[in-house]
Amino acid sequence: MKSSKENKRVLFLSLSGIGNLLMQLPTIEAVKKSHPSWHITIWVAPRGTKAIAEVQPCIDEVLEMNIKANILKHAKNISVLRTYHFDIAFVLSPGQLMKSAAYLALSRIPIRIGHAYPYKKEQHSSAFLTHAIPEDPTLHDIEQNLKL
């Protein structure tokens, strides 16, 4: 499906456990409410989160793929993500920020939004993201995600 300004294909990564997914849902709901025609897909790891994600009205599609994989499985995951032709992707906190951002870049998703993360000597790295904001340690993860 070719996307348009009104009909974007959006990916959210929720690769941690159930608790993190629950903290990420308000942001996914806010995006869907603001853009009801956008097709929202969420990528979850096999950690029991798929069943919860599938019953959320703000989520149109659920992908379940393991992020703990060897190089061949990582390549397969990237290949699968490329077939969806996502326009926008969000990496929400808490999560595996750098690994997730790298996945999105390798999947050729043009707009990649998330929080800056520490990497080597850079406290606010945004490698692999096109739009990044620093995390605010005074805010709860739900509030930080909503700021995105």
Side-chain angles (χ1 to χ4, degrees):
M1 164 179 37
K2 186 154 172 78
S3 63
S4 66
K5 184 176 182 180
E6 297 81 29
N7 188 17
K8 298 285 184 198
R9 296 189 58 78
V10 180
L11 175 66
F12 283 89
L13 275 69
S14 186
L15 301 171
S16 298
I18 293 169
N20 289 352
L21 171 63
L22 294 175
M23 287 191 290
Q24 296 165 350
L25 282 174
T27 301
I28 299 169
E29 290 171 346
V31 170
K32 188 65 166 185
K33 185 176 180 182
S34 297
H35 305 283
S37 65
W38 286 10
H39 184 86
I40 305 288
T41 301
I42 187 166
W43 174 15
V44 298
R47 295 185 174 148
T49 53
K50 181 179 180 183
I52 294 170
E54 286 177 327
V55 298
Q56 301 303 315
C58 59
I59 298 173
D60 299 302
E61 188 170 1
V62 179
L63 290 174
E64 185 180 57
M65 298 186 296
N66 199 339
I67 196 160
K68 292 183 179 181
N70 62 35
I71 192 72
L72 293 175
K73 289 192 188 241
H74 284 304
K76 182 180 178 193
N77 288 349
I78 290 164
S79 177
V80 167
L81 292 176
R82 285 182 181 177
T83 66
Y84 281 84
H85 304 284
F86 292 110
D87 301 293
I88 304 167
F90 289 87
V91 178
L92 301 178
S93 290
Q96 302 172 16
L97 301 179
M98 185 173 166
K99 189 175 190 178
S100 297
Y103 252 105
L104 301 180
L106 292 168
S107 300
R108 299 182 184 142
I109 300 171
I111 299 173
R112 302 176 304 276
I113 302 167
H115 291 98
Y117 46 83
Y119 178 67
K120 294 191 177 182
K121 294 182 181 180
E122 177 61 42
Q123 185 60 30
H124 299 290
S125 175
S126 61
F128 309 118
L129 295 172
T130 60
H131 300 76
I133 63 169
E135 287 190 324
D136 181 345
T138 66
L139 296 178
H140 189 276
D141 288 329
I142 293 173
E143 296 170 303
Q144 294 204 78
N145 290 332
L146 287 168
K147 277 180 59 176
L148 287 175

